[in-house]
Amino acid sequence: MERTIKIFDTTLRDGEQSPGCSMNLKEKIEMAQQLERMNVDIIEAGFAAASPGDLMSIQEISKNIKNCTIASLARSNKDDIDKAWQSLKYAARPRIHVFIATSPIHMQYKLNMAPEQVIKTAEEMVAYAKSKCEDIEFSCEDATRSDIDFMAKVIDTAIKAGATTINIPDTVGYTTPEEYSSLITSIREKCPAIDNVDISVHCHNDLGMAVANSLAAIKAGATQVECTMNGIGERAGNAALEEIVMAVKTRKDYFNAATRVDTTQIMRSSSLLTRITGIKVQPNKAIVGANAFSHESGIHQHGVLKNKETYEIMTPESVGLDKNKLVLGKHSGRHAFNDKLVQLGYNLSKEELDEAFRKFKDLADKKKDVYDKDIEALVSSQRIDVPKTYELSKYVINTGNIITPTATVSIKKDNAVTEEVATGDGPIYASFKAIEKIIGKDFELDDFSINSITEGEDALGDVMVRLNDNGRKFVGRGMSTDIIEASITAYINAINKMIYENQNIIQ
Ligand code: KIV
Ligand code: ZN
């Protein structure tokens, strides 16, 4: 019989806690809504004890998401569990995720606890969490370096105390597919009660085997996989959701299993995450890389033209890569635009819709054909926009290969417009210098990239600017058919985000 594998997405917890991936509240909600649209089973929304800001963002995600279970992580102590429970008070389907390390090295050096104390703590804390919440996940941190008989005892104890999911994580990305598969098999033999609850796996990618290990575990009986979009996460990352889901789907014959994920939402989820974090996926990345479905060599192209299946094991459409799907144009009205948004799964307020429609009209004036991807980029950017402390008013660029590029930029703040002129090595650099003169502060540019949203000569330029402020990163995006305008907007947006997040820090 075909098994259903639950997808537990931890992009907003294990993913978000990795360097350069932190997100503000609006971004987390937007990402959570996209994960819901993609139909993951569980969203791990954060680690409530990490800070009041984290706790509050789990609460907000819980208010906004009704079709997925929301999990909140807690160490094995009452304070963490209380905070996790508090963070879940608005969730339709709450889950407390309690963990404790079970490997000798973690127990001795990190927890400073004897093995018997670890068993007792696991028992008491799972029972404590269970007194609050029906759905309890328990994780043996560093499971793959733990003594198997000891871990089986801990797991048995946790199940008796009320755990409904047992997670066996490869915390340090140490295991191999065969070894992990035997670990799951042995645990099932040593602790038969585990077959009455969900068996979860959670793999890190330090040796590049996170996805292979997770898939081997599915074969060995795991019923839940923990993963992140684009494989973001601590160090080398977590197992990539898109790879696991597409492997299970494409090799249904082998796994005899399925997930509930709507795979046509994969590209959109991947792009949204990149839009938020500014962290791009490598072009040859499986499933979501720019080259994942392109056939360059003549032999391959020839084969694909004759029969797609010669070199294509899954279709681009199955992951939502419909290329340039034409949707709307200059003459499309508000009604058609609204219908499109509903079809794309957006539910905008009247004010949001007014603004999106105005932006769409501006775009349709400059660009002949407006595609789904343009609309997604436009609406998702608008939804994660922060208040505009500074706003571009106008700019003039004077450049060429025989003159020093000069930028004149005017910026509005509180209805007052300030203008400055600056020169630089190129027109974009000159514009950034002019902005810094207006604001009276130099910013450290950490990263800058220009991409196009769709193909074609009139494609929207999508600029990402990342600023570094004492180790904290602020990503700004700008979109325009003019890449200088997109760059200026992205720079100003990154500054606005820095101001917004600094004002909204909840320690
Ligand atoms: O990697 C890990 O072990 C974790 C646990 C908290 C599940 O992230
Ligand atoms: Zn982890």
Side-chain angles (χ1 to χ4, degrees):
M1 202 183 79
E2 186 180 278
R3 293 181 306 134
T4 302
I5 307 297
K6 290 183 181 161
I7 294 296
F8 176 114
D9 180 280
T10 184
T11 306
L12 296 172
R13 199 278 296 169
D14 223 347
E16 204 261 349
Q17 75 192 36
S18 62
C21 290
S22 60
M23 305 180 205
N24 65 32
L25 180 59
K26 277 182 149 196
E27 294 167 337
K28 285 183 186 172
I29 292 174
E30 191 64 17
M31 191 67 216
Q33 284 175 334
Q34 177 54 26
L35 294 172
E36 183 181 42
R37 222 174 266 131
M38 192 165 64
N39 213 24
V40 303
D41 298 278
I42 301 112
I43 296 175
E44 186 164 50
F47 177 25
S51 73
D54 282 53
L55 190 154
M56 198 258 288
S57 61
I58 303 169
Q59 284 187 343
E60 292 304 313
I61 291 169
S62 301
K63 283 183 197 163
N64 282 277
I65 304 295
K66 293 299 163 205
N67 298 316
C68 306
T69 295
I70 304 294
S72 182
L73 184 70
R75 285 166 298 196
S76 287
N77 66 63
K78 285 190 176 173
D79 188 52
D80 271 30
I81 293 169
D82 288 342
K83 287 185 173 129
W85 185 231
Q86 204 189 332
S87 73
L88 292 168
K89 67 177 176 190
Y90 302 109
R93 284 189 258 148
R95 170 179 295 188
I96 302 180
H97 178 187
V98 182
F99 74 99
I100 194 162
T102 49
S103 65
I105 187 165
H106 276 231
M107 290 191 289
Q108 182 179 349
Y109 293 101
K110 193 181 83 170
L111 299 177
N112 204 8
M113 275 174 140
E116 285 315 312
Q117 264 179 295
V118 168
I119 298 192
K120 191 161 173 283
T121 309
E123 180 177 25
E124 287 172 2
M125 290 306 114
V126 169
Y128 183 67
K130 189 76 176 184
S131 70
K132 298 171 184 296
C133 179
E134 183 45 43
D135 185 345
I136 302 296
E137 174 163 335
F138 173 75
S139 289
C140 301
E141 193 189 9
D142 205 15
T144 52
R145 294 191 298 166
S146 301
D147 174 80
I148 189 157
D149 290 311
F150 171 68
M151 194 163 64
K153 264 197 225 157
V154 180
I155 290 174
D156 245 338
T157 309
I159 295 172
K160 285 200 186 93
T164 40
T165 301
I166 294 293
N167 184 28
I168 304 173
D170 184 24
T171 304
V172 290
Y174 179 72
T175 198
T176 66
E178 262 187 20
E179 190 182 53
Y180 201 41
S181 163
S182 348
L183 175 63
I184 307 292
T185 307
S186 309
I187 291 286
R188 290 180 69 192
E189 281 161 11
K190 287 175 196 288
C191 164
I194 204 170
D195 283 334
N196 302 325
V197 300
D198 270 311
I199 304 176
S200 181
V201 290
H202 173 119
C203 296
H204 281 267
N205 204 29
D206 299 67
L207 293 172
M209 290 188 278
V211 169
N213 290 337
S214 307
L215 293 171
I218 291 179
K219 249 329 221 188
T223 53
Q224 174 179 291
V225 179
E226 308 197 356
C227 42
T228 59
M229 245 358 268
N230 296 347
I232 64 166
E234 287 280 8
R235 308 180 306 278
N238 287 59
L241 178 149
E242 62 278 11
E243 295 180 25
I244 289 164
V245 167
M246 288 314 289
V248 171
K249 183 175 167 121
T250 309
R251 295 305 312 276
K252 206 184 174 100
D253 59 320
Y254 178 72
F255 290 105
N256 194 18
T259 71
R260 295 190 186 86
V261 167
D262 174 0
T263 62
T264 64
Q265 291 292 332
I266 284 179
M267 281 312 298
R268 190 168 160 191
S269 306
S270 169
S271 313
L272 177 63
L273 185 62
T274 298
R275 173 164 300 285
I276 290 172
T277 59
I279 295 182
K280 282 184 266 147
V281 296
Q282 78 217 41
N284 61 327
K285 160 90 177 62
I287 319 295
V288 293
N291 297 345
F293 290 91
S294 57
H295 302 277
E296 287 298 322
S297 99
I299 297 173
H300 288 202
Q301 283 173 349
H302 180 74
V304 170
L305 284 175
K306 292 246 153 109
N307 179 344
K308 281 192 172 163
E309 284 176 29
T310 47
Y311 287 98
E312 225 171 64
I313 57 166
M314 54 199 155
T315 64
E317 291 77 16
S318 66
V319 299
L321 199 68
D322 293 7
K323 287 276 163 65
N324 289 343
K325 205 160 103 198
L326 176 62
V327 281
L328 302 169
K330 188 173 165 156
H331 301 294
S332 309
R334 202 185 161 85
H335 203 73
F337 181 68
N338 196 19
D339 282 354
K340 188 75 222 173
L341 292 182
V342 171
Q343 192 193 322
L344 289 172
Y346 289 111
N347 182 9
L348 301 194
S349 66
K350 172 152 182 337
E351 294 72 40
E352 284 177 321
L353 180 62
D354 288 347
E355 192 183 341
F357 187 62
R358 188 185 51 71
K359 286 186 175 157
F360 158 70
K361 279 292 184 189
D362 279 354
L363 178 61
D365 264 348
K366 295 185 190 140
K367 194 172 183 291
K368 196 164 112 278
D369 300 325
V370 179
Y371 301 103
D372 276 10
K373 273 186 174 177
D374 292 316
I375 296 196
E376 277 167 23
L378 191 145
V379 176
S380 64
S381 303
Q382 176 186 320
R383 283 164 64 95
I384 58 178
D385 254 3
V386 297
K388 293 191 184 332
T389 308
Y390 294 102
E391 204 168 352
L392 174 65
S393 182
K394 61 179 190 223
Y395 70 94
V396 175
I397 304 290
N398 194 8
T399 192
N401 62 353
I402 49 161
I403 55 166
T404 304
T406 308
T408 308
V409 180
S410 304
I411 293 186
K412 197 161 81 183
K413 181 179 185 237
D414 302 331
N415 288 325
V417 175
T418 314
E419 186 168 283
E420 279 294 351
V421 183
T423 57
D425 294 341
I428 293 175
Y429 185 57
S431 322
F432 291 176
K433 288 286 138 206
I435 295 168
E436 288 180 347
K437 270 189 173 178
I438 294 171
I439 294 175
K441 181 173 161 51
D442 287 349
F443 296 98
E444 187 187 325
L445 186 62
D446 191 55
D447 198 6
F448 173 87
S449 68
I450 305 180
N451 288 292
S452 64
I453 304 266
T454 52
E455 286 151 24
E457 283 159 13
D458 63 352
L460 259 185
D462 180 15
V463 172
M464 185 279 296
V465 160
R466 193 167 61 217
L467 299 177
N468 181 23
D469 186 26
N470 291 318
R472 293 180 64 219
K473 314 280 178 186
F474 300 91
V475 176
R477 316 288 304 210
M479 275 182 304
S480 170
T481 45
D482 171 343
I483 56 163
I484 296 185
E485 182 178 1
S487 304
I488 295 176
T489 311
Y491 204 71
I492 294 174
N493 282 344
I495 295 168
N496 285 337
K497 202 185 250 181
M498 190 183 287
I499 295 167
Y500 171 76
E501 289 184 20
N502 285 338
Q503 279 166 350
N504 284 283
I505 290 179
I506 308 171
Q507 292 303 341

